[in-house]
Amino acid sequence: MRFSVNIPNFGDFADPRNVATVAVAAEDTGWDGLFVWDHVLHRHHQGRPFGDPWMLLTAAALATTRIRLGTLLTPVPRYRPQQLARQVATLDHLSGGRVVFAAGLGGPVDDEYRSFGDTADPRVLAERLDEGLDLLRRFWSGTPVDHRGTHYEARDVTLLPATVQQPGPPVWIGGFWPRRPPMRRAARFDGAVPLYERARHGHVPDAAEVRDLIGYVREQRTAEPDRPFEFVLGGATPPDAARARDLIGPLHDAGATWWDERRLQTGPDLDRLTPVLRRIEAGPPVL
């Protein structure tokens, strides 16, 4: 099992220098990844400064050499695919091929989409997500792309350089379980990042629900069942090592491959550098 740190892209972490500090601390203390949120607007956190996640991750990439870097998660329908493809490919080169790309619809939908005159229809956003993911993979290949779809068009375009990782960075798909469509989508890619209706962000899911989800996704992976696939869970672990093992161990046994530490994401210290650093410097849980 691998372990990552999860931080928002607002508050203290709107400053790329603070994100670089967090990234260095995570790498030095044995964590395997650093993931940041990708929000433009989240009215629950209004009044705080927000930073662009790709600029924040650029600072993290320049300050580190080992840990994986990415967003958890990027709302693909909010972007133009060609713009997003360039940002991800540039970061993949800068980091030496350490990018993980996590994708979904994002939210809150009213804040992230309707506030800027965009549709909030989940059916349309899901169509744009699927079409956008297909285009991203094709753009990352560095080969000519011709595409005329429902929402996007590309006329004989080649985006260079291709990503360091081929056929592209690992793509993880987020969504709420027990909703099936996001996990069917995840089965087509490289990983699933589920949230649970009964264990929202920052809360640890029940092992029985994790087993149900993993079993369902494995059933859907009929095209390439042996291709590596990640099951990414997250929540807050207690400071006591034995209690943390008791909490994460059953999830590992159920098939989880990553633990994403969201210890401070449910309290007032969510976006403050000092308490986040304190948790990171204590090191990842030990199984």
Side-chain angles (χ1 to χ4, degrees), residues 214-248:
I214 290 175
Y216 179 78
V217 172
R218 286 174 173 165
E219 288 174 359
Q220 303 302 308
R221 299 186 66 235
T222 55
E224 298 177 89
D226 297 325
R227 179 168 51 87
F229 193 89
E230 307 289 355
F231 290 98
V232 185
L233 301 180
T237 55
D240 179 78
R243 290 179 58 210
R245 281 195 299 272
D246 289 344
L247 187 150
I248 298 178

Side-chain angles (χ1 to χ4, degrees), residues 8 24 32 49 72 79 98 103 129 184 237 249 281:
V24 170
D32 300 297
L72 272 183
Y79 284 84
R98 291 186 282 135
L129 173 58
R184 288 197 295 270
T237 55
E281 289 167 353

Side-chain angles (χ1 to χ4, degrees), residues 30-194:
W31 298 84
D32 300 297
L34 171 68
F35 298 109
V36 303
W37 298 9
D38 186 345
H39 288 294
V40 167
L41 177 66
H42 195 308
R43 286 197 169 89
H44 185 69
H45 304 293
Q46 63 186 349
R48 295 173 168 95
F50 278 63
D52 178 83
W54 304 104
M55 295 295 290
L56 302 179
L57 289 168
T58 295
L62 288 169
T64 57
T65 61
R66 178 185 59 81
I67 57 172
R68 303 289 285 184
L69 302 167
T71 55
L72 272 183
L73 48 70
T74 286
V76 171
R78 204 188 67 209
Y79 284 84
R80 301 298 295 178
Q82 63 272 23
Q83 171 204 9
L84 186 55
R86 287 295 84 228
Q87 290 169 305
V88 174
T90 300
L91 183 64
D92 202 45
H93 275 266
L94 181 64
S95 66
R98 291 186 282 135
V99 171
V100 173
F101 184 72
L105 298 183
V109 171
D110 281 351
D111 292 356
E112 294 278 323
Y113 294 94
R114 186 170 285 149
S115 295
F116 301 99
D118 204 347
T119 182
D121 183 336
R123 180 189 60 81
V124 174
L125 295 178
E127 288 177 355
R128 279 161 49 177
L129 173 58
D130 287 328
E131 191 175 341
L133 285 168
D134 175 65
L135 270 175
L136 285 171
R137 275 275 176 88
R138 296 169 67 188
F139 286 146
W140 289 335
S141 71
T143 59
V145 175
D146 271 296
H147 175 83
R148 180 167 294 182
T150 303
H151 301 283
Y152 306 117
E153 188 172 312
R155 301 180 183 179
D156 188 25
V157 295
T158 303
L159 299 187
L160 295 173
T163 52
V164 173
Q165 301 175 90
Q166 285 295 318
V171 176
W172 298 348
I173 303 296
F176 276 99
W177 180 258
R179 300 176 193 171
R180 265 51 176 178
M183 294 303 106
R184 288 197 295 270
R185 179 180 293 116
R188 304 198 304 267
F189 292 93
D190 308 299
V193 190

